[in-house]
């Protein structure tokens, strides 16, 4: 080991030459992607027709990204360390594309982009062009699990990738602009949850090049002592490299990387040899200070560019029209001496090719960055064994999520290396605490005698940050493992943008045959809007449903199981699925149970069904009204409304339809789960009005049933941003989705009304007035509401 460390820390002249040649080649290819549509090897004088009509991309961060890549590749060659590379400044996309091309991976995946002059020209022309590839480190980039288009998530993805992945090193380059984002500021704490015995390691590299798109960055302008103190306060051993001199920067960075890697290996070796005292190690990180736009044109039109924000994107604009800029570009490209880097055919020379590790050790070919290749099926217990006993529908109450917690407890036990729950300090609150029978919470910081189920060997991930939990799960699934992110419904919106970005990744990955499907991103929303009556308006918001509905149908799934057995059936399906966003919404409070396990399985398989036992529809002809529902609380209100109509309007035919898979409402051409026209008509008819009680915003249902027969007949009640600290039933009243509102809607919209309808409507209005007075006086709901259960009248057919 000492000899190896010395070799790593002190590259000889030959190695320095190879490193610099690879780096120059990567920089050349990066600039070519931004500027050139012809003459890729400059074998003729550069002319205006060789320049792209639109100049897009980002140069400023790219030379630093390529420097890091070159040196990590050298580390891998010497040590055979398994590593993935995450570029936080994702707009350095051309640098990572160039790296994959130089390693040969790009041409293996995309044979038309061959390692010759014609292939290089395709590489250049496709970048940020119609029919080509995006400008970021996108899903099309081999070796990437992190696009970086939306800044702030590089560390959470890196930490998620190394959990239960003991041999993996995630090199995470943090841009100094990115370092200003809230998610990144909150993600340094990932080392407080790493177990060096079982997990891999993250090497953060904070790349301070001084500027973002139009000005300086905070950390780059701070006193280095303050930056050092900040990072040390997070628990890191800070190693610093600064400069722009060559080969000095290669020498210094090689020494810094060797120091960081050796410290990581020392920490892991001690832990795996039983010499770990269970305290949090001080993990290394690197602060790299290099000029923005390093090696680019120093000045343009007499104005400083290199080292300033002006080099962030395209340092030379108007190249086609401005001969002076064209000459600058020609000199800039030739400064890398491409004739030394590419042979007569246009292929990288032997010296450049020799800098790449072998086979799957190339970071652009790392199996962990195409996690579906590594995915092992979960060993799932039979979910039916956790069933809630339901003797009669709508009679008994249970906390449905407790059953899911029991199921996940046993998934933990049976899958000690590929399943985790991620939850922001709410596992017990969300009634999932059974998992602590199988695992503690992960925590590498100090533990006191008062702590419960927490310690360095735990595998339940709790941190009070939706961004961390969501991002850790993304990194975990994209590298081939399985899990669930559970959070309070309203605060899923904190990380909603991550949900969108992950959906975009999955959508694009599905178009690439070489990307293997990965375990789905499973999100459980509980402590929902309708039952956060105690916490108040801030905790009342079902917006993530709307967000997921905007994703493409080949990715988006939304489930609203009405009870425990449906939740178990849905969860089993989601844990087995691949490359979806599975959103599951159900409350944690005691709620009525409706379906036996066999009935639940059948209901969830169909996605929606008529509950004959709840309605008064005899099935021989169309009903007078359809009462539909999706969501647990509104399902209870719908069934209660059906009972009122049964008791007070004999002969009025009501059909009750429950929807557990929200996407079944869409047409088959709009979503793969969309129910057929025949089934839609069977449930909702083609002409009868539908009063639909929905968990989320009413517009979602109108969006989903668009194009269905006479879609205007759907009258939707849902959350309409009316809330406060109040009683559970008052939440439904305030949002006009209570049983009394649903009865009034049924009366107002039915085409045939039996005698007594007007009196019933007046009774419902009086009940609403009585409720308003009662809750203010008694501080709780009326007994007939609070203690309501379905009773003996319900049909058992």
């Amino acid at each position: 080991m000492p000899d190896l460390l010395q070799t790593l820390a002190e590259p000889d002249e030959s190695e320095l030459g190879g490193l610099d040649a690879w780096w120059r080649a990567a920089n050349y290819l990066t600039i070519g992607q931004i500027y050139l549509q012809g003459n890729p090897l400059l074998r003729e004088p550069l002319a205006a027709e060789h320049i792209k009509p639109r100049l897009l991309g980002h140069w400023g961060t790219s030379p630093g990204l390529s420097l890091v890549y070159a040196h990590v590749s050298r580390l891998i060659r010497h040590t055979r360390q398994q590593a993935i590379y995450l570029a936080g400044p994702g707009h350095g996309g051309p640098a990572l594309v160039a790296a994959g091309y130089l390693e040969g991976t790009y041409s293996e995946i995309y044979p038309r982009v061959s390692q010759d002059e014609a292939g290089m020209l395709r590489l250049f022309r496709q970048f940020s062009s119609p029919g080509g590839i995006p400008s970021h480190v996108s899903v099309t980039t081999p070796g990437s699990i992190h696009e970086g288009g939306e800044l702030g998530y590089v560390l959470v993805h890196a930490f998620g990738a190394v959990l239960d992945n003991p041999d993996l090193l995630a090199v995470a380059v943090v841009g100094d602009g990115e370092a200003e984002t809230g998610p990144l500021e909150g993600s340094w704490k990932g080392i407080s949850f790493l177990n060096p015995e079982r997990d891999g390691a993250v090497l953060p590299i904070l790349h301070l090049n001084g500027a973002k798109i139009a000005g300086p960055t905070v950390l780059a302008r701070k006193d280095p002592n303050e930056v050092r103190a900040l990072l040390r306060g997070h628990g890191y051993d800070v190693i610093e490299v600064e400069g722009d001199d060559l080969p000095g920067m290669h020498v210094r960075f090689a020494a810094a990387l060797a120091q960081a890697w050796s410290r990581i290996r020392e920490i892991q070796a001690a832990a795996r040899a039983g010499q770990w005292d269970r305290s949090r190690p001080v993990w290394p990180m690197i602060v790299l200070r290099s000029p923005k736009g390093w090696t680019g044109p120093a000045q343009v039109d007499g104005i400083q560019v290199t080292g300033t924000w002006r080099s962030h994107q395209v340092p030379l604009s108007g190249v086609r029209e401005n001969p002076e800029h064209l000459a600058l570009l020609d000199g800039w490209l030739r400064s890398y001496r491409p004739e030394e880097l590419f042979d007569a055919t246009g292929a990288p020379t032997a010296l450049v090719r020799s800098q790449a590790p072998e086979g799957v050790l190339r970071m652009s070919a790392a199996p962990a960055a195409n996690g579906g290749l590594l995915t092992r099926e979960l060993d799932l217990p039979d979910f039916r064994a956790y069933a809630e006993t339901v003797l009669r529908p709508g009679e008994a109450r249970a906390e449905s999520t407790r059953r899911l917690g029991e199921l996940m407890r046993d998934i933990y036990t049976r899958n000690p290396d590929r399943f985790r729950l991620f939850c922001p300090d709410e596992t017990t609150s969300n009634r999932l605490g059974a998992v602590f029978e199988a695992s503690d919470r992960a925590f590498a910081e100090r533990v006191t005698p008062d702590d419960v189920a927490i310690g360095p060997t735990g595998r339940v991930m709790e941190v009070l940050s939706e961004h961390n939990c969501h991002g850790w799960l993304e990194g975990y699934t994209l590298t081939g493992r399985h899990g669930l992110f559970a959070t309070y419904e309203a605060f899923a919106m904190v990380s909603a943008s991550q949900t969108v970005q992950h959906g975009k990744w999955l959508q694009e990955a599905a178009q690439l045959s070489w990307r293997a499907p990965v375990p789905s991103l499973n999100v459980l929303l509980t402590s929902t809007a309708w039952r956060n009556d105690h916490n108040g308006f801030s905790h009342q918001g079902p917006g993530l449903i709307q967000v997921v509905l905007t994703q493409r149908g080949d990715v988006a799934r939304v489930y609203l199981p009405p009870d425990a057995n449906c939740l178990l059936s849905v969860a089993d399906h989601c844990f087995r699925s691949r490359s979806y966003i599975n959103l599951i919404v159900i409350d944690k409070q005691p709620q009525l149970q409706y379906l036996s396990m066999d009935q639940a399985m059948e209901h969830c398989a169909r996605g929606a069904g008529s509950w004959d036992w709840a309605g008064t529809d005899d099935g021989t002809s169309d009903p007078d009204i359809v009462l539909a529902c999706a969501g647990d609380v509104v399902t209870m209100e719908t069934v209660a409304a059906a009972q009122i109509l049964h008791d007070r309007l004999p002969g009025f035919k009501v059909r009750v339809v429950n929807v557990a898979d929200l996407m079944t409402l869409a047409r088959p051409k709009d979503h793969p789960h969309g129910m057929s026209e025949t089934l839609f008509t069977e449930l909702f008819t083609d002409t009868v009005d539908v009063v639909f009680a929905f968990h989320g915003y009413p517009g979602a249902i109108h969006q989903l049933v668009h194009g269905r027969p006479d879609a205007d007949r759907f009258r939707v009640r849902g959350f309409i941003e009316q809330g406060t600290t109040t009683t559970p039933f008052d939440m439904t009243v305030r949002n006009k989705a209570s049983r009394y509102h649903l009865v009034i809607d049924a009366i107002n919209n039915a085409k045939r009304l039996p005698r007594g309808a007007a009196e019933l409507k007046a009774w419902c209005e009086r009940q609403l007035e009585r409720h308003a007075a009662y809750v203010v006086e008694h501080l709780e709901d009326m007994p007939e509401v609070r203690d309501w259960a379905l009773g003996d009248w319900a049909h058992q057919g």
Side-chain angles (χ1 to χ4, degrees), residues 61 185 583:
T61 189
E185 286 274 22
L583 180 62

Side-chain angles (χ1 to χ4, degrees), residues 331-365:
W332 179 16
L333 285 164
R334 294 185 191 278
S335 72
Y336 299 107
R337 306 190 298 280
E339 67 278 1
E340 299 175 7
L341 309 175
F342 305 98
D343 65 19
T345 70
T349 62
L351 176 62
V352 172
R353 292 198 309 273
S354 69
Q355 303 306 302
E358 299 174 0
V360 296
L361 288 176
R362 296 171 295 174
M363 287 185 287
S364 60

Side-chain angles (χ1 to χ4, degrees), residues 28-29 40-41 101 114 116-124 342 346:
Y28 181 86
L29 293 175
L41 288 164
Y101 182 77
S114 48
D116 53 26
E117 184 172 6
M120 186 186 295
L121 183 59
R122 289 193 183 96
L123 183 79
F124 291 175
F342 305 98

Side-chain angles (χ1 to χ4, degrees), residues 380-390 400 402-411 414 564-569 572 576 596-598 600-601:
L380 291 172
D382 185 347
F383 69 93
R384 294 172 295 184
Y386 306 84
E388 190 72 43
T389 300
V390 178
S400 296
R402 283 201 187 276
R403 295 298 191 185
L404 177 60
E406 294 166 3
L407 173 66
M408 289 198 296
R409 171 198 63 203
D410 295 340
I411 297 175
R414 296 163 74 131
N565 290 334
C566 288
L567 173 60
L568 290 168
S569 179
D572 180 79
R576 297 178 188 276
S596 69
M597 180 53 77
D598 287 343
M601 292 169 61

Side-chain angles (χ1 to χ4, degrees), residues 54 207 215 292 340 457 493 502 530 552 563-564 642 686 723 787:
R54 299 195 311 151
H207 185 204
K292 197 173 188 74
E340 299 175 7
T457 62
M493 293 303 291
H502 192 76
W530 299 97
R552 293 181 200 159
D563 63 8
D686 287 342
D787 303 324

Side-chain angles (χ1 to χ4, degrees), residues 53-66:
R54 299 195 311 151
L55 301 181
L56 303 168
H58 296 74
W59 162 247
T61 189
S62 293
L65 291 176
S66 296

